[in-house]
Amino acid sequence: MKKRVLSLMLALVICLSLLPTADMAADITAKETSTIPASRDIQWVSKEDGVAAILQNDKYGLVDLAGKEILSCQYDSLYGFSDGLAAVQISGKYGFIDTAGKEVVPFQYDDVRSFQDGLVMVQDQDYKWGFVT
């Protein structure tokens, strides 16, 4: 029984040692954002989509990985991209934008989920849920 417990503990230690550390995560983030000017307050990076969310004066915007502004900092919330679209919130209403910053789902929903397989769940002002394609 003791051997089994020790074996399990050793396996756990090995697994934990393989997890990325905060230093490794910081290094990865630094490499991904190395071309974005340091003056930008980067919130998250989507290397796959070629964009990064930035924060300025409590408002979110979007830049490409070279630091060129795609969307000015005007949104109350800006969530990660899924199926090429990101949920954004302005004045309490949610909509969706694409990676070019174009509004593809109007800002008329009280709550939204992420796009998946071309569908997204949305909630209207009457607390009713539906789908948008």
Side-chain angles (χ1 to χ4, degrees), residues 120-124 128-132:
V120 64
M121 285 181 62
V122 295
Q123 183 185 49
D124 67 13
K128 294 180 182 175
W129 287 92
F131 288 96
V132 173

Side-chain angles (χ1 to χ4, degrees), residues 29 32-33 36 42-53 65:
T29 302
E32 289 179 347
T33 61
I36 300 173
I42 301 164
Q43 299 299 297
W44 52 260
V45 174
S46 175
K47 195 171 184 180
E48 179 180 308
D49 295 300
V51 296
L65 296 184

Side-chain angles (χ1 to χ4, degrees), residues 5-51:
V5 170
L6 288 175
S7 295
L8 288 173
M9 288 178 64
L10 180 60
L12 179 62
V13 168
I14 291 171
C15 288
L16 290 175
S17 70
L18 296 175
L19 292 174
T21 64
D23 291 338
M24 292 169 75
D27 186 47
I28 291 167
T29 302
K31 287 178 184 174
E32 289 179 347
T33 61
S34 61
T35 57
I36 300 173
S39 61
R40 301 286 196 167
D41 185 5
I42 301 164
Q43 299 299 297
W44 52 260
V45 174
S46 175
K47 195 171 184 180
E48 179 180 308
D49 295 300
V51 296

Side-chain angles (χ1 to χ4, degrees), residues 33-88:
T33 61
S34 61
T35 57
I36 300 173
S39 61
R40 301 286 196 167
D41 185 5
I42 301 164
Q43 299 299 297
W44 52 260
V45 174
S46 175
K47 195 171 184 180
E48 179 180 308
D49 295 300
V51 296
I54 56 171
L55 181 66
Q56 182 178 350
N57 298 325
D58 294 325
K59 297 291 182 180
Y60 291 87
L62 200 62
V63 296
D64 65 18
L65 296 184
K68 182 181 174 192
E69 186 174 278
I70 297 171
L71 281 173
S72 64
C73 294
Q74 59 185 320
Y75 298 103
D76 300 323
S77 300
L78 173 59
Y79 297 96
F81 282 87
S82 175
D83 282 1
L85 300 174
V88 288

